[in-house]
Amino acid sequence: MGSLFRSEEVCLAQLFLQSASAYSCISELGERGLLEFRDLNPKVSPFQRRFVGEVRRCEDMEKTFTFLQQELRSAGRVLGPCLESPRAPLAREALRVQEQSEQLAQELREVTRNRASLRGRLRDLRQYLHVLREAQRFTSLPAPLGSPPRPRALSEREPILDPSLHQHLERKINFVAGVIHPWRVTAFERLLWRACRGYLVASFVEMPEPMEDPATGESITWVIFLISYWGEQIGQKIRKISDCFHCQVYPYPESEAGLEDTITGLHSQIQDLSVVLEETEQYLAQVLDKVALALPAWHVQVQKMKAIYLILNQCSFDVTEKCLIAEVWCPVRDLTQVQDALRQGSYQSGSSVECFVQRVPTSESPPTLIRTNKFTAGFQSIVDAYGVASYQEVNPAPYAIITFPFIFAIMFGDVGHGLLMFLFALWMVLYEDSPRLRQGTNEIWLTFFEGRYLILLMGAFSIYTGFIYNECFSKATVIFPSAWSVATMANHSSWSSAYLATHPSLTLDPNVTGVFRGPYPFGIDPIWSFATNHLNFLNSFKMKMSVVLGIVHMGFGVVLGVFNHLHFKQRHRLVLEFLPEMIFLLALFGYLVFLIFYKWIKFSAANSLVAPSILIHFIDMFLFTSNAENLPLYQGQVPVQTVLVVLALASVPVLLLGTPLYLWCRGARLTAVPVQPVATGEQEPLLEGQEAGNSVNATKEDVESGGHSPDAKHLDFSEIFMHQAIHTIEYCLGCVSNTASYLRLWALSLAHAQLSEVLWTMVMRNGFVGLSYVGGVVLVPVFAAFAVLTVAILLVMEGLSAFLHALRLHWVEFQNKFYVGAGYKLCPFAFATDTWD
């Protein structure tokens, strides 16, 4: 948690790895996830690097794994995750994995090929058997005894030729039998009729059972056809047409005895093939079991091995080519762990020479490292979405843990809605270790789950502000007795019966003794929910509250810039930037906060009618005038306001010219100025001719002189002045616009309260009042509609709106006072995905 307020110190270091132990050392570093490696061969093609052969071997194994995974998927099996993360394999283990995986792949190919061949052969035999059975029914159906003579017209159930006519035929009748796709039957029959009209008789019937289409794999009910023809030329035409329509044609026996023998033989072959196919399926299942058991671990091992060789390709060799040199960004606090990892890697490889790490000076800005846990990760991601913190600048995330949920709750203040949000987030927190919640595929759900602690705090703070507003589903709750007494007002006033009859709305006068007995103990008095002017009262309260909180929030952001000035040793910015910024903010808008509190304290119900307008006083303050109709709040108000405006205006030129003149005077005295990040996280402008070079390739003179050339020229004053002018204009105008921007707290809070009240009035109130004669049964769908609308509109839509506005207030109004966010994250080489969590 110490690094949460500011990014950790990160240094540039070199690793000296012996060639024999480099693989084991990188593997050990990858398991710990400590370092970000830099590519020392940026101009070398990936195909010309040292370990390209090993990378290709890993890719070949990945191709083999892909084939095995596809076979598992085609068999209807799901490959489970690797429960234990194995370490990267050594050279001997990698060869063993490669041999075993290729052997399993070869066995799968052979078994799959044999199974496909057996299935195809079995399918052909079954189709042939169905064809012969249907043909036997067409050609060899005997006539029943005692039946009348058969007419010449043919039907589907009658034989194509009458057996009594065989002896009168001069020519031999031939048959063509086979199966055809059902979509091609009509065209096939039409073409046969046109090509061989009068010389054939064709019959079509569907197969009794569906079979697989070898081309598409779909289950299709094939159509059996039997064609009888006369003449050899007609037979050739029929066979050619059958080939064109991709029909499967089977040989047809010439006699009935041969037909019976063929059918018997087909039965025997089908039984034998079924037994062989069943044994093949069992063997295939055994091979798939081996694959499913070993593949997850193999996949992780090869991925780690490939990652190690990719890192080794980024290293450079020394002149003897016996040592690899790697350049890394390393957290300073982890240097001892890095040395221990190198020692472990050398021991595992059996090397007698230990590898070591050495820090290297550099003028380059290091990457940003902020360690987070499951609680702070959600808040840090909000800040990182705006921009990763510059190196060592103040991190807004720890302050956003409190300010973000609180600002959200100001706009979302309702006890009921906050409680629902809190319970939803609490459920996610309690079951956060459930794999079903973590491994969801819905992106919106994963976003909610990652921000569960943020939602938990937003719900808790909304409950608190809901009690402050005294709203629970838009209804007030009576926790304490009301401080207003209607009975006292009726007893001590001149309300007559005629007055009560003509005035449906009555006014409680707090100046009457006993009507108002002091402030409500906590929050807003519930009697205001019955008052006709409650909206005016809440508007005034929430508007002033938004202005006060906004100015305090912006002032806190300016104060945080002091920690940047002190950390980067730029104390001149405390006087030339921080002091004029605070004077400008407090002299104008801090004075506005003072007027709000002073008016609350000075004026009571007795003299509230003569209370002046703060807004008019604030306008007159900028115009250096006074309004006789608007009485002053205190004596000497006009001179005080004049002095404050003069101080605010005088701070502008100091803010505009202070820092540029200081740097110009300093640059005139010095020939070179070290580069230091400014208070907002930026870097000081470099001298002309300077370059922030890589310290690894820098000379000794460059390192000793701070990384700058000794013949540096004067500062570019125009560039510095332009930068400071933009900052001054942005800050001065931003104080006005940002203060007005915080009024969104008032607007969103009012909108949420009114939507909640409208929903209660239009749904639940009508259910209680208009449907009371039906009973409680009708309230069930009424309450269901109220619950759905509450979740959909007030929780989801209004919650998202309040979240986005709170996000905008932090990004624009708060963070721009001290935060630049121009850095880049430290991305360590790690096999685990949650290295820094």
Side-chain angles (χ1 to χ4, degrees), residues 741-759:
S741 182
Y742 276 94
L743 292 177
R744 70 184 68 238
L745 300 177
W746 158 48
L748 267 293
S749 175
L750 176 64
H752 183 79
Q754 293 302 307
L755 279 176
S756 181
E757 185 176 355
V758 168
L759 185 61

Side-chain angles (χ1 to χ4, degrees), residues 27-299:
S27 175
E28 186 67 26
L29 291 173
E31 294 292 342
R32 303 193 184 191
L34 302 174
L35 307 175
E36 178 182 349
F37 286 82
R38 303 178 67 185
D39 192 0
L40 299 182
N41 308 303
K43 297 182 180 180
V44 180
S45 171
F47 301 101
Q48 298 176 349
R49 302 203 178 190
R50 182 94 175 194
F51 300 96
V52 64
E54 287 78 359
V55 174
R56 287 178 177 173
R57 188 178 67 177
C58 295
E59 292 177 349
D60 292 339
M61 284 193 285
E62 287 180 344
K63 293 179 181 178
T64 304
F65 296 161
T66 302
F67 167 75
L68 296 176
Q69 189 172 359
Q70 290 176 351
E71 291 295 322
L72 285 173
R73 190 180 298 113
S74 62
R77 300 193 181 190
V78 179
L79 189 64
C82 185
L83 300 179
E84 297 181 359
S85 180
R87 299 180 65 89
L90 299 177
R92 296 186 302 273
E93 297 177 358
L95 289 176
R96 179 182 56 81
V97 170
Q98 185 177 10
E99 291 176 359
Q100 293 181 357
S101 61
E102 290 179 354
Q103 181 180 0
L104 285 178
Q106 183 64 25
E107 289 182 3
L108 272 180
R109 290 189 183 96
E110 293 179 357
V111 175
T112 304
R113 190 185 309 113
N114 293 337
R115 184 186 63 174
S117 176
L118 290 174
R119 283 183 174 180
R121 179 59 179 166
L122 185 61
R123 181 180 60 252
D124 290 341
L125 292 178
R126 287 178 176 174
Q127 288 182 353
Y128 192 14
L129 179 62
H130 285 297
V131 168
L132 293 182
R133 284 178 176 176
E134 295 297 331
Q136 185 182 27
R137 189 178 62 185
F138 279 124
T139 59
S140 303
L141 187 64
L145 295 176
S147 61
R150 191 186 309 274
R152 294 300 303 268
L154 298 178
S155 66
E156 292 183 357
R157 294 297 179 180
E158 294 177 348
I160 297 178
L161 297 177
D162 192 343
S164 60
L165 299 178
H166 278 273
Q167 58 183 351
H168 302 289
L169 295 176
E170 298 178 357
R171 294 186 179 183
K172 181 181 178 182
I173 299 177
N174 298 316
F175 293 92
V176 174
V179 294
I180 187 175
H181 197 282
W183 294 354
R184 302 169 183 161
V185 172
T186 304
F188 179 63
E189 187 177 8
R190 186 183 301 114
L191 186 58
L192 285 176
W193 174 253
R194 292 179 179 178
C196 311
R197 182 177 299 178
Y199 294 94
L200 61 83
V201 177
S203 298
F204 297 89
V205 65
E206 289 186 352
M207 192 175 292
E209 59 178 347
M211 291 190 178
E212 182 183 8
D213 186 0
T216 61
E218 299 178 355
S219 182
I220 298 175
T221 302
W222 297 89
V223 175
I224 300 173
F225 64 87
L226 181 65
I227 305 173
S228 60
Y229 64 90
W230 292 267
E232 196 62 30
Q233 293 182 353
I234 298 298
Q236 293 178 2
K237 287 184 180 181
I238 294 174
R239 290 183 175 86
K240 288 181 179 180
I241 294 173
S242 301
D243 292 339
C244 292
F245 281 87
H246 303 285
C247 301
Q248 182 67 36
V249 179
Y250 298 99
Y252 190 81
E254 297 182 356
S255 61
E256 292 188 9
L259 182 63
E260 294 291 342
D261 294 339
T262 304
I263 292 176
T264 304
L266 288 176
H267 277 292
S268 177
Q269 294 181 28
I270 289 173
Q271 292 179 358
D272 296 340
L273 279 178
S274 299
V275 174
V276 176
L277 181 60
E278 183 178 357
E279 294 178 354
T280 305
E281 293 282 356
Q282 293 178 357
Y283 181 71
L284 178 61
Q286 295 176 0
V287 177
L288 291 177
D289 290 338
K290 295 180 182 178
V291 172
L293 184 63
L295 188 57
W298 288 351
H299 191 68

Side-chain angles (χ1 to χ4, degrees), residues 548 551 586 588-601 614 633-634 637 640-641 644:
V548 171
I551 295 174
L586 296 179
L588 298 180
F589 302 99
Y591 178 70
L592 177 61
V593 175
F594 166 76
L595 293 180
I596 292 174
F597 280 98
Y598 185 81
K599 183 179 178 180
W600 282 344
I601 296 173
I614 295 179
L633 287 169
Y634 57 90
Q637 180 178 357
V640 171
Q641 294 180 167
L644 291 177

